[in-house]
Amino acid sequence: MHIRFIDAFASLPALLQSALEPILRHDDFPAMLTAQQVSQLRLETGLDDTALAFALLPLAAACSLTPISHFHVGAVARGISGNLYFGANMEFSGASMQQTVHAEQSAVTHAWLRGETRLASITVNYTPCGHCRQFMNELNSGSELAIHLPDRAVASLGEYLPYSFGPQDLDIATLLMDKVDHGYQTSASDALSQQALAACNQSHAPYSQSHSGIALESDSGKIYGGPYAENAAFNPSLPPLQAALILLNLSGEDCLKIRRAVLIERSDPLVSQLDATRATLSALGCQQLQHISL
Ligand SMILES: O=c1ccn([C@H]2C[C@H](O)[C@@H](CO)O2)c(=O)[nH]1
Ligand SMILES: [Zn+2]
């Protein structure tokens, strides 16, 4: 079992521990459960979907990186496929506060990057902040997304964010998690550049059209892509580096051991990721950033 799960796992109810043990046994548990694994867990534990998602929160929170707050937020997003995706907050010492990733952003982005096309619900161990409510308001599930919190009745995002400002106010119809392919191409044929290109082609940048994507090579040699995800209110936008770091972290890899990165963006973009990406990567101890302009 990955070392980060050991304490949280020990705190789970005995039935859930025995049902999860074969799934978590290996180091490479991807911090998600397929719909089939979820049905099996329900069968073995007697928990319903809602109770199961709550019961998994300690494991999700165990994925957090919190050198600043030491405050562990965990989230579990349910895709329409029935798969569950963990999310956890991530803080980066030596970078600006703005580089922080919230657990809700992590779970949403995790689902998106693993190919989920829409979310049904999200379960969180603390009430989502305003920034997260606004971030989730960009999703194609719209105000229908169900939010489950401890000690509260389930309520929709629309209820958590009344009188909202969103993509429709700026006449934008393509929403976060909609399948897109911007069709950019590059002559760089190495695997890292191609993965960064794929992320760029998947990115959600309807406000600036400054599509971008990154790919990170981890300590183990695996590659993690991160597409940029803009938000109607601009500031809650998630930079491509953060998206890739979410996937790398949830996959059980070390954000402080990134070997190299390729960032791809349009030439002369209205919005550039380059300076912030370089600064945050450098705070993580990685100086190997290649920049490709399309
Ligand atoms: O909705 C919220 C509110 C806060 N945090 C994280 C951000 C930061 O890492 C820590 C303290 O704010 O908690 C979340 O993940 N989600
Ligand atoms: Zn938040």
Side-chain angles (χ1 to χ4, degrees):
M1 184 178 301
H2 195 290
I3 189 165
R4 63 185 168 174
F5 292 125
I6 291 175
D7 288 349
F9 181 80
S11 76
L12 301 180
L15 264 181
L16 184 57
Q17 282 193 32
S18 53
L20 275 172
E21 202 277 333
I23 301 172
L24 261 74
R25 183 185 304 148
H26 304 289
D27 236 18
D28 58 358
F29 168 63
M32 66 161 288
L33 296 164
T34 64
Q36 202 188 342
Q37 289 173 322
V38 170
S39 329
Q40 187 64 28
L41 287 173
R42 286 182 46 179
L43 209 65
E44 288 182 38
T45 61
L47 297 171
D48 65 15
D49 272 336
T50 301
L52 179 61
F54 276 118
L56 292 168
L57 284 177
L59 294 173
C63 299
S64 68
L65 302 175
T66 57
I68 302 167
S69 70
H70 308 291
F71 183 70
H72 308 284
V73 188
V76 173
R78 182 188 312 281
I80 50 160
S81 68
N83 292 356
L84 296 182
Y85 304 89
F86 292 6
N89 55 330
M90 302 171 75
E91 302 166 358
F92 308 109
S93 56
S96 70
M97 285 291 219
Q98 279 69 25
Q99 304 304 305
T100 305
V101 173
H102 288 216
E104 298 87 330
Q105 293 181 295
S106 168
V108 166
T109 305
H110 187 196
W112 181 38
L113 298 190
R114 295 217 193 265
E116 195 70 51
T117 56
R118 197 180 170 97
L119 292 186
S121 70
I122 187 161
T123 304
V124 198
N125 60 354
Y126 294 98
T127 188
C129 75
H131 165 90
C132 287
R133 296 177 197 200
Q134 185 66 49
F135 180 79
M136 293 189 287
N137 197 44
E138 193 72 19
L139 286 167
N140 57 7
S141 37
S143 55
E144 301 301 301
L145 181 74
I147 300 183
H148 296 265
L149 297 180
D151 307 320
R152 289 204 185 278
V154 60
S156 68
L157 178 61
E159 291 168 285
Y160 275 98
L161 194 66
Y163 315 110
S164 66
F165 176 81
Q168 48 296 338
D169 292 301
L170 294 171
D171 293 326
I172 295 299
T174 307
L175 302 173
L176 186 56
M177 287 183 82
D178 282 344
K179 277 255 177 261
V180 291
D181 181 357
H182 304 300
Y184 295 107
Q185 299 196 340
T186 173
S187 55
S189 59
D190 63 286
L192 205 57
S193 303
Q194 283 298 317
Q195 192 71 45
L197 181 73
C200 179
N201 279 327
Q202 191 191 357
S203 65
H204 174 72
Y207 306 101
S208 70
Q209 297 298 322
S210 301
H211 304 112
S212 62
I214 199 169
L216 306 175
E217 184 183 311
S218 72
D219 191 33
S220 73
K222 291 210 185 92
I223 295 175
Y224 298 91
Y228 176 39
E230 281 188 344
N231 184 279
F234 288 18
N235 296 71
S237 299
L238 189 79
L241 176 60
Q242 268 66 6
L245 289 170
I246 287 168
L247 193 59
L248 183 144
N249 174 49
L250 291 170
S251 300
E253 304 238 31
D254 191 340
C255 292
L256 297 174
K257 290 185 180 161
I258 294 164
R259 288 185 191 160
R260 56 196 190 98
V262 171
L263 172 69
I264 293 195
E265 51 186 7
R266 289 173 59 158
S267 49
D268 283 333
L270 268 178
V271 168
S272 172
Q273 306 299 330
L274 182 57
D275 289 349
T277 302
R278 191 182 280 130
T280 305
L281 268 180
S282 167
L284 293 171
C286 173
Q287 317 293 339
Q288 302 303 314
L289 173 64
Q290 189 195 341
H291 184 229
I292 298 179
S293 292
L294 297 169

